[in-house]
Amino acid sequence: MSTGFFWDERCFWHGGGNYAGMLPVGGLVQPMTNGGLPEAPESKRRLKNLMDVTGLSNDLTLSSAPNATREDLLRVHPASYLDTFKETSDEGGGELGRRTPFGPGGYELATLSAGLSVAALQAVLRGDLRNSYALSRPPGHHCLPDYPNGFCLLNNLGIAIQSARANGLADRIVVLDWDVHHGNGTEAVFYDDPNVFTISIHQDRNYPMDTGDFADRGTGAGLGANLNIPLPPGVGHVGYMAVMDQIVALQIRAFKPDVIIVACGYDAAAIDPLGRMLATAETFRDLTRKTMELADELCDGRLMMSHEGGYSEVYVPFCGHHVLAEMAGSTIQAPDPFAEVFPLRQPSAAFDAFVQTQLDQMREAF
């Protein structure tokens, strides 16, 4: 079986609105020549371009997918939100939440993005693919059932998971989110669900600034099925590997999932305007390798990834290429152009020890 890559050129056409970086234009905030939010199409388009140029695309099974159906959406989002979103989209676009602008046809583009994740997950669960990757845009992990925020208009993974469960394809599911920002939307969708274990590794107090605490472990029947791992800025490669080995792997093994899903953001990279975590392309490759090993051990290799954040148009393509080459077992590589620089920017041994102390405290709390 091969590695699937689900993408659609139309997802790159989602519009960002009248912003200058993270700020709405107006008052003393001047428009920018390139316009829009940091969540722009080029980082993802350039990933696909890099795969085509190196030949990695030839080692993958590429396809688009149908839009997520209204039935799919209603398992996560209330009809009132979907109706307002569709009406606003049909009237030319607007903004319903926080930093989630969209233009004409934005509703259809968001349902297409969700549909890529739905198809990518079901192809793995049905045994058609060994593993899969959805190049979803707009992203989804910040979207609450009735409130879009953080560039996310629909909760892509929540929709994909609930569709798979409704079709009897999986029961116990792990969502591992290594985007630099807390996966508050996915957490909210499954906060009381004991069969979906949501894990978020994120920069502490980045976005949202009032969510993502280690103490937030779920509620009701879902108590213990949510895990937040907030990390200080600058953790770097060593810190991420320690988190995987000492906390994440142990918790996933204890949960015994049917499938592992990764909310795959690249904004923890050392070159990113919205994160300060100093991860490298090699970090993302090693995170992928360790996650694949867990999937092989626990759930017959069933692994699906959905693209979330990552805002460096230069560096995201190399990080994504490292991940996809690892997933596919491909010998085709795109060498990290910053590989000689990043070792000099990694944390000192003293800072690694400080991070280790925090991880020890988290482990002791279980």
Side-chain angles (χ1 to χ4, degrees):
M1 291 189 294
S2 61
T3 294
F5 184 80
F6 290 78
W7 77 291
D8 195 294
E9 170 66 28
R10 289 171 292 174
C11 285
F12 301 148
W13 295 12
H14 165 59
N18 199 18
Y19 275 77
M22 298 291 288
L23 299 174
V25 171
L28 298 178
V29 180
Q30 303 176 51
M32 297 171 64
T33 56
N34 58 352
L37 291 165
E39 201 291 299
E42 284 310 296
S43 62
K44 296 181 182 182
R45 180 180 276 124
R46 287 164 66 107
L47 167 57
K48 174 61 169 54
N49 291 344
L50 182 62
M51 291 161 44
D52 291 345
V53 169
T54 64
L56 178 60
S57 295
N58 297 325
D59 287 350
L60 308 172
T61 299
L62 274 63
S63 64
S64 183
N67 293 53
T69 66
R70 185 172 173 88
E71 182 181 16
D72 289 331
L73 305 182
L74 285 169
R75 297 189 184 100
V76 173
H77 299 285
S80 57
Y81 171 63
L82 298 175
D83 292 343
T84 301
F85 185 6
K86 181 69 166 66
E87 291 168 7
T88 307
S89 173
D90 290 346
E91 292 170 359
E95 184 168 3
L96 301 178
R98 187 180 185 207
R99 299 193 182 98
T100 56
F102 53 93
Y107 179 85
E108 285 72 25
L109 293 175
T111 59
L112 174 58
S113 179
L116 296 176
S117 287
V118 170
L121 178 58
Q122 295 199 11
V124 169
L125 292 174
R126 295 183 190 279
D128 299 329
L129 296 167
R130 181 179 62 180
N131 52 42
S132 66
Y133 190 104
L135 192 66
S136 294
R137 180 176 184 268
H141 75 144
H142 290 309
C143 191
L144 304 169
D146 60 355
Y147 185 76
N149 67 106
F151 319 143
C152 302
L153 289 158
L154 295 171
N155 196 290
N156 299 327
L157 286 181
I159 293 165
I161 289 167
Q162 297 296 50
S163 179
R165 296 168 86 187
N167 284 281
L169 297 176
D171 182 25
R172 293 177 68 79
I173 297 168
V174 162
V175 179
L176 171 59
D177 188 331
W178 62 50
D179 188 282
V180 81
H181 306 108
H182 176 231
N184 62 307
T186 313
E187 176 185 274
V189 171
F190 298 110
Y191 202 58
D192 60 355
D193 192 325
N195 290 320
V196 180
F197 186 15
T198 48
I199 305 171
S200 178
I201 309 169
H202 52 268
Q203 181 181 326
D204 192 20
R205 307 297 170 185
N206 185 330
Y207 182 87
M209 288 178 279
D210 58 350
T211 67
D213 289 342
F214 176 75
D216 298 336
R217 299 302 314 279
T219 190
L223 183 62
N226 185 75
L227 175 60
N228 291 318
I229 307 173
L231 299 172
V235 161
H237 182 87
V238 170
Y240 271 95
M241 294 305 103
V243 168
M244 278 295 294
D245 290 338
Q246 299 176 28
I247 297 180
V248 172
L250 299 178
Q251 294 297 309
I252 292 178
R253 285 192 181 100
F255 187 76
K256 297 181 175 61
D258 300 324
V259 62
I260 298 174
I261 299 172
V262 175
C264 186
Y266 299 110
D267 36 13
I271 300 176
D272 194 277
L274 301 187
R276 298 290 182 271
M277 297 307 281
L278 299 182
T280 70
E282 199 63 33
T283 306
F284 292 108
R285 186 204 300 279
D286 286 355
L287 288 172
T288 301
R289 176 176 50 80
K290 289 177 180 291
T291 306
M292 291 176 68
E293 289 171 353
L294 286 168
D296 287 341
E297 174 187 340
L298 300 169
C299 45
D300 295 326
R302 289 187 289 270
L303 171 66
M304 176 264 186
M305 294 196 185
S306 184
H307 197 119
E308 294 288 353
Y311 308 100
S312 170
E313 295 179 10
V314 172
Y315 201 44
V316 164
F318 292 94
C319 295
H321 196 286
H322 275 57
V323 165
L324 282 153
E326 187 69 23
M327 292 179 73
S330 176
T331 59
I332 296 174
Q333 303 298 320
D336 185 345
F338 300 101
E340 295 182 3
V341 176
F342 284 155
L344 303 176
R345 296 182 178 177
Q346 288 296 295
S348 66
F351 189 78
D352 288 341
F354 165 71
V355 173
Q356 185 61 57
T357 298
Q358 292 193 311
L359 299 185
D360 291 342
Q361 291 172 351
M362 291 184 195
R363 290 206 316 274
E364 290 170 3
F366 289 124

